Amino acid sequence: MVDIRYSQNFYRKKSKLNDLIKKANIRSKDIVIDIGAGKGNITKQLGKYAKRVMAYEFDPKYFHKLERELRQHENISIINDDFLQASLPSSSFKVFSNIPFSLTSDIVSKITDEESKLEEAFIFVQKEASYRYIGYPKNTQISAILSFRYKIEIFEKLRREDFSPVPSVDIVVLKLSQKDCG
């Protein structure tokens, strides 16, 4: 298991975050998952737009703080569980999350599983990891597999300075959109 203390880089730009959520077209009908909610910056913003927010936070310190701060928000559920062990919603859902970078492969595998009802995901990832999923500069096995069900692209480039602590890698928001299979 990865020590989560070393995988948390909190996004601090609330106004930019609000713009990203609007651009992602999060609506009042959406169920949205936030993986690794941390201090709750993303969770709080998602709660303004989504029908329901399921915020996973494994670290007990952050979980208890979020639980106290957000208990009055009826559309936000704070879940103290390992997201990778949890069940996904049985109906359509979206993901909007600054995920732990060390768990990128595991999280993408889980949300794109063939039984998953994922509509769209907007996940903060290391730029090099995004290239693997996009298939840039050349196709990878995972980009080829995912491309049958999902359109994958860089949604937004983020500034390192907008995170605390400042990461030593470039960060982007990777967008996965389920293709219309009809």
Side-chain angles (χ1 to χ4, degrees):
M1 180 96 189
V2 174
D3 188 337
I4 56 179
R5 290 176 298 177
Y6 301 113
S7 65
Q8 294 178 320
N9 297 86
F10 301 106
Y11 191 68
R12 301 178 304 150
K13 290 290 189 179
K14 290 181 185 174
S15 62
K16 175 73 173 178
L17 182 57
N18 196 45
D19 292 342
L20 286 171
I21 291 170
K22 285 181 182 177
K23 184 178 169 185
N25 206 23
I26 302 295
R27 301 282 173 123
S28 60
K29 65 176 179 59
D30 294 327
I31 295 171
V32 184
I33 297 175
D34 182 10
I35 305 159
K39 295 179 179 181
N41 293 340
I42 291 174
T43 306
K44 291 171 193 170
Q45 292 299 318
L46 288 172
K48 296 176 183 178
Y49 298 94
K51 175 182 180 178
R52 183 169 169 224
V53 178
M54 299 169 65
Y56 284 86
E57 181 48 59
F58 195 57
D59 185 326
K61 176 180 77 173
Y62 289 116
F63 167 75
H64 292 300
K65 186 173 188 263
L66 287 171
E67 199 175 41
R68 282 190 307 275
E69 286 180 11
L70 299 175
R71 77 177 71 188
Q72 73 278 10
H73 297 273
E74 292 179 13
N75 68 328
I76 299 175
S77 301
I78 309 299
I79 304 159
N80 186 214
D81 198 1
D82 180 353
F83 172 75
L84 295 173
Q85 302 303 316
S87 296
L88 293 175
S90 58
S91 59
S92 294
F93 68 95
K94 295 182 178 182
V95 172
F96 192 103
S97 184
N98 178 12
I99 64 173
F101 301 149
S102 62
L103 300 176
T104 299
S105 292
D106 293 333
I107 290 169
V108 171
S109 291
K110 180 174 181 82
I111 65 174
T112 60
D113 180 80
E114 77 177 69
E115 300 297 318
S116 174
K117 305 279 194 228
L118 177 70
E119 276 182 53
E120 286 185 307
F122 302 87
I123 52 176
F124 295 37
V125 299
Q126 186 175 335
K127 181 173 69 174
E128 290 77 11
S130 75
Y131 290 165
R132 215 175 115 232
Y133 294 104
I134 293 169
Y136 173 83
K138 61 182 181 176
N139 262 345
T140 61
Q141 184 178 18
I142 193 65
S143 69
I145 291 168
L146 290 177
S147 69
F148 285 103
R149 275 185 72 199
Y150 297 96
K151 178 180 178 190
I152 306 167
E153 60 190 320
I154 292 177
F155 181 70
E156 189 82 27
K157 295 178 182 174
L158 302 174
R159 295 169 10 110
R160 291 182 188 189
E161 299 77 26
D162 293 343
F163 290 85
S164 177
V166 176
S168 59
V169 295
D170 290 327
I171 310 302
V172 300
V173 180
L174 183 66
K175 178 181 178 183
L176 295 93
S177 302
Q178 188 177 68
K179 291 181 177 178
D180 186 10
C181 300

